[in-house]
Amino acid sequence: MTTAEETAGGELQPWAEVTPEAARRLLIAAVEAFAERGYHATTTRDIAGRAGMSPAALYIHYKTKEELLHRISRIGHERALDILRTAARREGSASERLADAVSSFVRWHAGGRTTARVVQYELDSLGPEARAEIVALRRRCDAEVRGIIEDGVAVGEFEVLDVQGTTLAVLSLCIDVARWFNIDGPWTPDEVGALYADLVLRMVGVRKAPTAR
């Protein structure tokens, strides 16, 4: 399965917003190269070659290799934020919203694991300005999950001693799926999403998963 074909919960990765088509091909090639070789070991020639283009053609659309990584990171984090915000603001109990947030976030990391590895693990390769923008997006993701947990604690639905620490643990658990998930392994993205939702609910003191709507 190529990066362009990877799915997260049945949805194509959000590269359709990258235009023109040549810029999209280069971005997809960059994702594959960064995931396989790492950002620093990847050259612009590697990326252009994967896209079936000349190195000179790359610079028409992206001034630097870092600009490519920055765009990948920004789109990926905006998508992650949208997933978590949608779950956090849906109707339902805190347990239902947390289960939805975790299962959706995990499915995204499993179904789009190549992209997710680059988005989540190449942050330190960005320069200070670009990195600051992505860190701000990460904090917004954290805030959505933390808000659900705080709601659950406030109404006595969750038993959590350290909301901030629990938020970090939940997000770390979800993100790590991109590192180990194998599409040819024993689980589907949906199955891993359901498993992790149950694990996280137990983490916050809920002993029975909410009934799916």
Side-chain angles (χ1 to χ4, degrees), residues 42-96:
T42 298
T43 67
T44 54
R45 184 176 295 276
D46 294 332
I47 296 167
R50 284 174 184 260
M53 300 166 69
S54 69
L58 184 148
Y59 294 109
I60 295 173
H61 303 284
Y62 302 99
K63 295 177 182 178
T64 64
K65 185 176 68 168
E66 184 189 346
E67 184 180 331
L68 262 168
L69 178 61
H70 182 206
R71 191 164 192 191
I72 292 164
S73 296
R74 185 175 67 246
I75 292 172
H77 279 87
E78 286 172 348
R79 176 57 178 156
L81 177 59
D82 181 63
I83 289 168
L84 295 171
R85 181 189 290 133
T86 298
R89 300 182 185 183
R90 57 163 279 193
E91 294 183 2
S93 67
S95 294
E96 290 171 327

Side-chain angles (χ1 to χ4, degrees), residues 104-125:
S104 299
F105 203 41
V106 166
R107 287 198 305 272
W108 184 73
H109 282 84
R113 64 208 174 281
T114 303
T115 297
R117 282 199 299 272
V118 176
V119 169
Q120 299 291 7
Y121 294 113
E122 288 289 358
L123 176 63
D124 290 339
S125 298

Side-chain angles (χ1 to χ4, degrees), residues 47-197:
I47 296 167
R50 284 174 184 260
M53 300 166 69
S54 69
L58 184 148
Y59 294 109
I60 295 173
H61 303 284
Y62 302 99
K63 295 177 182 178
T64 64
K65 185 176 68 168
E66 184 189 346
E67 184 180 331
L68 262 168
L69 178 61
H70 182 206
R71 191 164 192 191
I72 292 164
S73 296
R74 185 175 67 246
I75 292 172
H77 279 87
E78 286 172 348
R79 176 57 178 156
L81 177 59
D82 181 63
I83 289 168
L84 295 171
R85 181 189 290 133
T86 298
R89 300 182 185 183
R90 57 163 279 193
E91 294 183 2
S93 67
S95 294
E96 290 171 327
R97 289 184 287 129
L98 185 58
D100 189 8
V102 170
S103 61
S104 299
F105 203 41
V106 166
R107 287 198 305 272
W108 184 73
H109 282 84
R113 64 208 174 281
T114 303
T115 297
R117 282 199 299 272
V118 176
V119 169
Q120 299 291 7
Y121 294 113
E122 288 289 358
L123 176 63
D124 290 339
S125 298
L126 292 170
E129 186 174 341
R131 188 180 188 283
E133 180 185 356
I134 302 306
V135 167
L137 284 169
R138 286 196 176 205
R139 287 174 177 161
R140 291 169 67 186
C141 289
D142 293 354
E144 296 294 343
V145 176
R146 186 171 63 250
I148 301 173
I149 296 174
E150 288 172 341
D151 288 346
V153 171
V155 299
E157 201 171 331
F158 300 159
E159 294 181 10
V160 174
L161 296 178
D162 183 340
V163 171
Q164 184 173 345
T166 301
T167 300
L168 176 61
V170 169
L171 288 170
S172 297
L173 191 68
C174 296
I175 289 168
D176 194 57
V177 170
R179 183 185 58 79
W180 64 260
F181 184 80
N182 184 345
I183 197 65
D184 297 319
W187 298 300
T188 67
D190 284 346
E191 288 169 340
V192 177
L195 171 63
Y196 274 49

Side-chain angles (χ1 to χ4, degrees), residues 159 198 201-203 205-209:
E159 294 181 10
D198 180 68
L201 289 178
R202 292 173 185 275
M203 183 189 299
V206 177
R207 297 305 175 195
K208 184 177 180 181

